[in-house]
Amino acid sequence: MVRIGAAEGFYGDAVEPSVDIAKNGDVQYLCFDCLAELTMAILVKDKQKDPSKGWCKDITLYMNALLPYVQSKGIKILTNAGGIHPEGAAQEVIRVAREKGVTGIRVAVVTGDNLIDRIDELRNAGVSLDHMDTGAALETVRDRLLFANAYLGVRPIVRALQMEADIVITGRTTDTAQFLAPLVYEFGWKEDEWDALAQGILMGHLMECSAQSTGGNFSGRWWEIPDMDRIGYPIAEVREDGEFVLTKTHTSGGRVSVDTVKEQMLYEIHDPAAYVTPDVVADFTTARLEPDGEDRVRVAGATGRSRPETLKVVMGYRDGYMGQAILGYSWPDALRKAQKAEEIIRKQIERRGLTYDEVRADYLGYNSLHGPTVPEPKEELNEVYLRMAVRAKTLRDAAQFGRLFPPLGLDGPPSVAGLGGMMPPRELLGMWSCLVPRNLVEDRVEIRIEEV
């Protein structure tokens, strides 16, 4: 049996549940999934400002809280908080360890997922890098690229564990890789044990989003989830054949049930019969979920088939700028006032000859979440906020849009709140996905270890 605890589910997540698991969960591993595409863009901008950055800065908070348990309980930490600059994250972990007097731990850093400096090399090797969905040529965005990272699988993390690492820091990996790695390492699963690997991928998928398996973000009877103010993160008890029980600590809030687990099982998957990862193509439709006591769900039966010969690469590129503003209107006629303000702004855009790729208007308190599916309200709304946004090619054009709003405080419909309402323009990020032969990436992956 291997016990694995889920820690951070995204950059900026709560640290307390991972500390609770370290103290009370009797786990051997704490696994983090910190990265989303937006996160990579944030980290790139951090690194542009300071070359020593580019990693998830909350790793400092986590290491301060968890390193004592690494030392005293032998818990291993696996995290992709390295982001764009895993070496920098490793140095920060080492700095915190020395500051806290934690010694005798081995910190591994995995590199090789970052392909931004290898674009021309890959093209010369015959890799198209065209968009995998639209077929668009990379040349359309080549000069605007900010990052390009391949999704690594479990291999380098397992190798780092074999090199006796206590903490493994990677860049971009699949969301499940950190969770699968301990199983491959501990049980010695081979790379073609597809069903076992599929079970491990399913376990990782259920663990990767912090509390979404333990009652957080639950769309069932969410009001019955106990103690959400101290909700716990999941723990997996995994057997050598891959069957596992999902649970949590008794000292935390939340709930583990077939329904909470099932909802996370279906989260962010496209074809449940073909969940594609670098390690296995998993079929979740064969899995069985059964209650196994209070806050315990047993999961078995996921099956798998051979892994793909390519890795997915996600690139981010500059895609213009957003200008936006928000104005609030109160009863009476709140919606009509907001609609009139939108009309005024659109006419002023046209009269001033401002050109935007997209102009969007939403009414917060009426249709901002459900858009055109919302029927006209039958009763007067107490308040409505107009939120307008534009997609502009330049920062100057985006800023000009915001300047239209302050005059509405006195020149437009009455009862405006949040006078002016304009927000600083911000750069937009476009996403580009393509496939690269895995050997061209994996042959360049490196693992380095430093002992504190």
Side-chain angles (χ1 to χ4, degrees):
M1 179 83 68
V2 176
R3 285 178 61 90
I4 300 171
E8 193 170 19
F10 59 90
Y11 185 16
D13 205 353
V15 68
E16 291 84 0
S18 61
V19 175
D20 173 63
I21 289 177
K23 288 175 63 176
N24 306 305
D26 190 27
V27 297
Q28 295 141 280
Y29 295 86
L30 268 174
C31 302
F32 294 60
D33 174 37
C34 310
L35 300 181
E37 287 75 14
L38 174 61
T39 313
M40 302 298 280
I42 293 170
L43 299 180
V44 165
K45 292 181 179 181
D46 285 349
K47 197 170 190 296
Q48 288 173 338
K49 296 174 186 175
D50 181 347
S52 70
K53 297 298 190 289
W55 37 271
C56 298
K57 290 182 281 190
D58 58 357
I59 198 172
T60 306
L61 176 66
Y62 278 93
M63 292 302 118
N64 268 295
L66 296 174
L67 280 178
Y69 300 101
V70 174
Q71 187 177 49
S72 64
K73 292 191 171 186
I75 297 173
K76 294 182 183 292
I77 290 178
L78 311 179
T79 177
N80 57 11
I84 296 295
H85 187 24
E87 302 97 326
Q91 290 307 306
E92 176 64 5
V93 172
I94 291 167
R95 184 196 68 79
V96 172
R98 288 173 175 157
E99 185 177 86
K100 297 185 73 65
V102 174
T103 59
I105 62 171
R106 292 166 61 83
V107 180
V109 58
V110 176
T111 58
D113 63 292
N114 192 340
L115 306 181
I116 193 65
D117 295 327
R118 296 184 60 199
I119 300 297
D120 292 336
E121 174 195 336
L122 292 169
R123 297 293 296 277
N124 292 336
V127 182
S128 76
L129 302 181
D130 291 345
H131 197 289
M132 61 186 290
D133 296 322
T134 68
L138 182 67
E139 283 74 14
T140 59
V141 300
R142 176 71 175 87
D143 60 346
R144 293 181 278 148
L145 289 180
L146 289 171
F147 65 86
N149 292 77
Y151 284 81
L152 299 182
V154 75
R155 278 182 175 181
I157 307 173
V158 173
R159 180 64 186 135
L161 292 173
Q162 291 170 340
M163 296 166 67
E164 300 182 346
D166 299 295
I167 298 172
V168 183
I169 299 169
T170 73
R172 178 73 269 189
T173 62
T174 60
D175 297 348
T176 53
Q178 276 69 229
F179 300 89
L180 175 60
L183 307 182
V184 175
Y185 169 65
E186 294 278 354
F187 297 139
W189 287 349
K190 305 237 176 348
E191 290 189 348
D192 61 354
E193 293 188 49
W194 305 123
D195 290 349
L197 293 170
Q199 273 287 118
I201 288 293
L202 177 52
M203 181 274 293
H205 176 66
L206 295 177
M207 300 271 281
E208 72 194 30
C209 292
S210 51
Q212 282 190 186
S213 284
T214 56
N217 202 23
F218 181 51
S219 59
R221 298 176 68 85
W222 57 266
W223 56 91
E224 295 180 354
I225 301 298
D227 301 318
M228 290 185 77
D229 59 295
R230 56 182 187 89
I231 198 164
Y233 291 173
I235 295 171
E237 302 172 349
V238 191
R239 298 189 334 198
E240 189 168 356
D241 63 1
E243 185 173 317
F244 62 92
V245 170
L246 208 71
T247 185
K248 66 177 191 67
T249 66
H250 295 299
T251 48
S252 62
R255 173 173 294 142
V256 180
S257 69
V258 169
D259 285 343
T260 64
V261 173
K262 190 187 301 181
E263 188 162 317
Q264 170 61 22
M265 181 179 177
L266 300 176
Y267 176 74
E268 282 187 346
I269 60 172
H270 292 265
D271 180 355
Y275 187 69
V276 183
T277 78
D279 303 299
V280 62
V281 178
D283 183 351
F284 292 170
T285 67
T286 59
R288 302 184 306 276
L289 278 63
E290 301 171 350
D292 189 57
E294 184 178 357
D295 288 319
R296 293 175 62 86
V297 172
R298 185 171 299 277
V299 183
T303 54
R305 56 185 185 270
S306 59
R307 67 188 184 202
E309 291 305 313
T310 54
L311 297 180
K312 184 177 180 179
V313 174
V314 172
M315 308 184 194
Y317 61 91
R318 294 184 177 91
D319 195 24
Y321 295 84
M322 180 175 70
Q324 65 173 325
I326 298 178
L327 291 173
Y329 293 93
S330 67
W331 178 93
D333 303 319
L335 181 56
R336 287 177 57 199
K337 292 171 185 174
Q339 291 169 331
K340 185 63 177 179
E342 179 193 351
E343 176 189 330
I344 291 169
I345 294 297
R346 288 186 180 272
K347 286 183 176 179
Q348 290 181 345
I349 289 173
E350 182 178 355
R351 184 161 50 254
R352 297 186 186 202
L354 300 176
T355 303
Y356 297 114
D357 296 332
E358 183 182 356
V359 180
R360 179 185 177 94
D362 297 290
Y363 300 108
L364 281 68
Y366 165 50
N367 72 351
S368 64
L369 295 180
H370 295 284
T373 66
V374 179
E376 286 284 334
K378 296 180 180 179
E379 299 180 357
E380 276 279 342
L381 301 174
N382 285 330
E383 57 192 51
V384 172
Y385 277 77
L386 168 67
R387 182 258 185 183
M388 291 191 71
V390 296
R391 181 191 297 272
K393 286 186 169 58
T394 68
L395 182 64
R396 180 177 180 274
D397 289 343
Q400 281 185 304
F401 173 73
R403 185 66 186 84
L404 300 176
F405 284 80
L408 285 179
L410 299 179
D411 300 352
S415 301
V416 65
L419 186 61
M422 53 192 240
M423 303 176 186
R426 77 166 192 250
E427 191 172 40
L428 294 172
L429 177 73
M431 303 308 301
W432 191 275
S433 299
C434 60
L435 299 174
V436 173
R438 63 187 307 147
N439 64 294
L440 296 181
V441 177
E442 292 178 336
D443 288 351
R444 301 281 283 273
V445 171
E446 295 183 357
I447 305 161
R448 291 187 295 279
I449 290 189
E450 184 170 344
E451 184 165 341
V452 183

